[in-house]
Amino acid sequence: HGGCDPRSLAIHNAQANGQGCMMSFTTGDVEFSKKFCDSCRIFKTTVSFGSVNSLCEMPFTMSHASIPPEQRTLPEDLIRLSVGIEDGRDLVADLAHALRVAAGTLPTSASDLQGYDSRFEDLPVVPAPAPAHTSPPLGPRPMPGI
């Protein structure tokens, strides 16, 4: 558990049923990597990994793009994934879908994933907003008792 103190670990265990995950992999082809990232529907393409949402990036063209190419030590085709709190089955389906699109075995037009398992029925329904109040007209108000 990465050196967590007992209190922090107790809080984590009360709020989560596992640890987060970040992984990196190469595909052997920059265009394949770009198509893969572009084809993800749940994994959002971003350079930030401080989220509960699943995220995807290609460091060579995003977070490390300002470093001169000859000084970069990361492979151009490297993909980084940060796994969020979405349903694991949805995430696996999203990655499988993106791999098929990037490999050319699934047409791009068929890129809509349907039937996600991530549901939030156990969350309370947010009540409808209260009706807007009309503001009193601007200008002087009468003094009470006068």
Side-chain angles (χ1 to χ4, degrees):
H1 289 289
C4 286
D5 62 85
R7 182 174 180 272
S8 297
L9 184 57
I11 292 169
H12 170 80
N13 288 334
Q15 296 176 343
N17 61 6
Q19 291 74 37
C21 176
M22 178 178 264
M23 64 183 82
S24 299
F25 58 93
T26 58
T27 64
D29 183 87
V30 173
E31 287 306 310
F32 184 98
S33 293
K34 287 180 184 177
K35 286 179 188 175
F36 173 86
C37 290
D38 290 344
S39 299
C40 287
R41 302 294 304 230
I42 298 174
F43 284 85
K44 301 300 179 201
T45 303
T46 183
V47 294
S48 170
F49 287 114
S51 177
V52 297
N53 300 319
S54 293
L55 308 172
C56 177
E57 82 151 330
M58 287 184 64
F60 198 83
T61 61
M62 297 174 75
S63 61
H64 291 66
S66 63
I67 301 171
E70 63 278 0
Q71 294 178 6
R72 292 184 210 151
T73 58
L74 300 173
E76 288 185 49
D77 63 326
L78 182 72
I79 295 173
R80 283 188 182 161
L81 299 177
S82 175
V83 180
I85 63 170
E86 300 90 350
D87 187 282
R89 294 166 292 193
D90 292 341
L91 297 175
V92 169
D94 191 34
L95 295 174
H97 163 84
L99 286 169
R100 289 192 311 269
V101 171
T105 61
L106 182 68
T108 307
S109 61
S111 64
D112 286 343
L113 284 176
Q114 297 178 4
Y116 293 131
D117 289 328
S118 296
R119 304 261 191 275
F120 301 98
E121 289 94 1
D122 57 330
L123 296 177
V125 175
V126 178
H133 297 291
T134 56
S135 301
L138 296 176
R141 293 191 221 169
M143 296 291 287
I146 300 184

